[in-house]
Amino acid sequence: MEKRTIRNAIVGALLLFAAAGTAGSEDILVYITETGRRYHRGDCRYLELSRIPILLSTAVSVGYEPCGHCNPPPPPPGITPPSESQELYRLNVSGVEEPEKADLTRMTRAIVVRHVDGDTVYVSIPRPPASVRQYESVRFIGVDAPETVHPQKLVERFGEQSSEFTRRYLLNRPVFLAFDWQLRDRYDRLLAYIYLADGSCFNALLLREGYAHAYTHYPFEFLEQFRALEREAREQARGLWGSQEK
Ligand SMILES: [Zn+2]
């Protein structure tokens, strides 16, 4: 019996050792808050109000720095944080012709920390460029998702599905923000193109999958492309177009 206990202990120790070896420090989960610039260990007292799990490598690449109180793991080597003096990347003057050809490296990096509905989220930006705050509500340029949270309106057709699509794709995820000629709307929300880490434009994705209408009351760089994406989704009866009566 004793031999077996010892053997189990050795096997257990080896397994622990192997696990520690395979999980590089860049794969560790750390935590951020909605409004802070630091990343934390899970038991840090600064996580009382909000607690958003994120990979250490992502936290560092977005610009978060280690908390001085809880001593989380240091930034892994080879991960470059965004520079402090980044300018706004405005697609209307960038010469980019298609949404998917925009340059992620020039965009503002953020984490989506709160979800509102299909076309609006809150982001945390640890290193915001001038004229952008560290915590912002972001309205996606050129799209209009069916309403879900407007107190004066009934829930619009497909509003819940659209909202859920955005929540699943974006909440607690790293995103890249690009802008157009108008930085804010009349509610002081940032107007942005929201890009995923694989380079796809989420505004365009909403249209392509039929989770939003193209919003063309104001001009923006990809107005024609967005109209075409909406038309295509309608013709294919995707998303909200599939539930319309003929
Ligand atoms: Zn901490």
Side-chain angles (χ1 to χ4, degrees):
M1 284 309 271
E2 208 174 308
K3 243 184 190 168
R4 206 161 125 198
T5 313
I6 292 167
R7 203 189 63 187
N8 284 350
I10 292 169
V11 169
L14 283 174
L15 282 175
L16 270 179
F17 185 72
T22 50
S25 61
E26 71 275 12
D27 294 322
I28 289 171
L29 264 192
V30 291
Y31 297 84
I32 58 165
T33 60
E34 285 190 352
T35 54
R37 292 169 191 263
R38 308 274 174 179
Y39 66 85
H40 308 267
R41 285 187 188 279
D43 57 357
C44 183
R45 64 183 165 94
Y46 290 125
L47 297 173
E48 265 173 25
L49 293 179
S50 57
R51 176 195 173 89
I52 297 153
I54 178 175
L55 287 175
L56 173 60
S57 57
T58 304
V60 172
S61 73
V62 173
Y64 292 93
E65 290 177 4
C67 169
H69 173 73
C70 64
N71 269 319
I79 307 280
T80 329
S83 62
E84 289 282 0
S85 62
Q86 39 173 340
E87 285 176 23
L88 294 180
Y89 181 41
R90 291 186 186 261
L91 295 187
N92 58 315
V93 291
S94 66
V96 171
E97 285 170 11
E98 297 291 330
E100 314 292 338
K101 289 181 181 164
D103 182 358
L104 284 189
T105 66
R106 294 177 60 190
M107 295 186 194
T108 299
R109 300 184 210 183
I111 299 289
V112 174
V113 291
R114 220 196 300 172
H115 160 255
V116 178
D117 58 22
D119 55 35
T120 310
V121 294
Y122 280 83
V123 298
S124 180
I125 309 170
R127 296 191 187 183
S131 66
V132 171
R133 292 182 291 263
Q134 213 184 303
Y135 181 64
E136 292 268 12
S137 137
V138 175
R139 175 71 168 79
F140 310 160
I141 291 171
V143 299
D144 195 22
E147 202 80 50
T148 55
V149 293
H150 197 291
Q152 264 83 48
K153 287 184 193 170
L154 292 173
V155 173
E156 285 182 37
R157 183 201 296 268
F158 216 70
E160 293 296 338
Q161 288 96 318
S162 172
S163 180
E164 177 60 14
F165 183 78
T166 293
R167 190 190 67 78
R168 283 212 332 259
Y169 253 93
L170 298 184
L171 189 61
N172 294 359
R173 299 274 162 79
V175 291
F176 298 74
L177 305 177
F179 305 93
D180 209 287
W181 64 278
Q182 190 187 359
L183 186 61
R184 293 179 186 278
D185 69 5
R186 62 196 163 112
Y187 306 109
D188 200 34
R189 297 179 297 193
L190 271 186
L191 293 169
Y193 299 97
I194 194 152
Y195 280 80
L196 307 175
D198 67 0
S200 56
C201 175
F202 189 72
N203 312 43
L205 184 64
L206 279 171
L207 293 168
R208 191 176 294 124
E209 299 297 323
Y211 286 103
H213 303 255
Y215 185 74
T216 56
H217 296 287
Y218 301 99
F220 58 95
E221 186 60 18
F222 301 127
L223 191 145
E224 286 312 318
Q225 290 93 329
F226 279 19
R227 270 198 184 133
L229 286 170
E230 183 200 86
R231 201 179 315 124
E232 189 191 309
R234 201 166 51 218
E235 284 164 8
Q236 305 284 325
R238 291 195 200 119
L240 68 95
W241 308 110
S243 58
Q244 301 254 319
E245 291 98 13
K246 296 274 150 59

